[in-house]
Amino acid sequence: RTTDYLCDLTTHVSQAGKKRYVDLKAVPESKCKVIPNGLCTNEYKFDKKERKKIRDRYAQRDFIWLAVGRFIPQKDYKNMIRAFNKIKERNMELWIIGKGSRKSEIQDLIDDLNVDGVKFLGTFPSEQIPSFMSAADGFVLSSHLEGFGIVLIEAMACKLPTVVTRSGGPED
């Protein structure tokens, strides 16, 4: 609202984000447009050799779920851990790539619930993420609020089936 008069157009990456801006009266609908995030798909694609290499190094079970993102409240990893804990089939792992100040809270929840099969892999350079996506069998985005995470587009470009929460942008 404060700076709207200074611009001709406000953009957002999702319909949900645009709706929120308009509903908050931060910008009039006539001056707001959705321009989805893009991705260079040459860098993000399934790689069978990388799948084998990563699985040989990290996998201990048959099915791998992958989550990639910072440990912040918006990513709602606690919800993801609770959901993973409810899955009856236990021949699977949940790999989490990321860092952040809330990691210890997630570890505490895993310990409290006695959740088996969760691995914190740490962080990797962005050019290595497609290898982990190739190694996984499914991708999870558990955010409770998301504009439209590029990581979701990256996972889909690697032909990785995705499970996402209703959090705004991913619904587009």
Side-chain angles (χ1 to χ4, degrees), residues 2 5 14 28-29 34 44 47 53 56 80-81 84 87 92-93 110 115 120 130 160 171:
T2 305
Y5 74 95
S14 69
E29 187 165 11
V34 173
Y44 286 86
D47 186 318
K53 182 175 100 177
D56 285 350
M80 179 179 63
I81 297 300
F84 182 73
I87 299 172
M92 61 178 61
E93 296 175 339
I110 291 167
V115 180
F120 295 108
L160 193 55
E171 295 172 55

Side-chain angles (χ1 to χ4, degrees), residues 39-54:
L39 179 73
C40 177
T41 56
N42 292 337
E43 297 171 20
Y44 286 86
K45 54 188 164 197
F46 178 78
D47 186 318
K48 192 174 182 177
K49 289 179 184 175
E50 287 298 307
R51 177 179 174 85
K52 180 174 176 10
K53 182 175 100 177
I54 296 293

Side-chain angles (χ1 to χ4, degrees), residues 9-80:
L9 183 69
T10 298
T11 62
H12 206 283
V13 296
S14 69
Q15 291 293 336
K18 175 185 174 182
K19 182 180 181 328
R20 182 158 194 243
Y21 278 27
V22 171
D23 289 350
L24 290 171
K25 303 203 182 314
V27 62
E29 187 165 11
S30 62
K31 288 179 65 176
C32 192
K33 182 176 180 160
V34 173
I35 301 177
N37 286 326
L39 179 73
C40 177
T41 56
N42 292 337
E43 297 171 20
Y44 286 86
K45 54 188 164 197
F46 178 78
D47 186 318
K48 192 174 182 177
K49 289 179 184 175
E50 287 298 307
R51 177 179 174 85
K52 180 174 176 10
K53 182 175 100 177
I54 296 293
R55 287 180 82 94
D56 285 350
R57 181 168 180 190
Y58 294 98
Q60 296 176 333
R61 299 182 185 175
D62 291 340
F63 193 96
I64 307 300
W65 288 104
L66 176 67
V68 179
R70 296 171 293 141
F71 290 93
I72 58 174
Q74 296 89 322
K75 296 298 180 188
D76 204 5
Y77 282 153
K78 289 182 179 182
N79 185 40
M80 179 179 63

Side-chain angles (χ1 to χ4, degrees), residues 52-130:
K52 180 174 176 10
K53 182 175 100 177
I54 296 293
R55 287 180 82 94
D56 285 350
R57 181 168 180 190
Y58 294 98
Q60 296 176 333
R61 299 182 185 175
D62 291 340
F63 193 96
I64 307 300
W65 288 104
L66 176 67
V68 179
R70 296 171 293 141
F71 290 93
I72 58 174
Q74 296 89 322
K75 296 298 180 188
D76 204 5
Y77 282 153
K78 289 182 179 182
N79 185 40
M80 179 179 63
I81 297 300
R82 287 186 192 100
F84 182 73
N85 193 43
K86 290 182 178 184
I87 299 172
K88 302 288 187 233
E89 170 59 48
R90 296 317 303 172
N91 195 13
M92 61 178 61
E93 296 175 339
L94 170 61
W95 294 352
I96 304 174
I97 295 176
K99 65 179 180 177
S101 60
R102 301 289 177 100
K103 179 182 173 189
S104 62
E105 291 178 24
I106 307 307
Q107 183 64 62
D108 290 346
L109 178 64
I110 291 167
D111 295 342
D112 291 347
L113 296 176
N114 197 28
V115 180
D116 184 39
V118 178
K119 288 185 179 181
F120 295 108
L121 300 183
T123 59
F124 294 90
S126 59
E127 60 270 8
Q128 290 182 2
I129 299 302

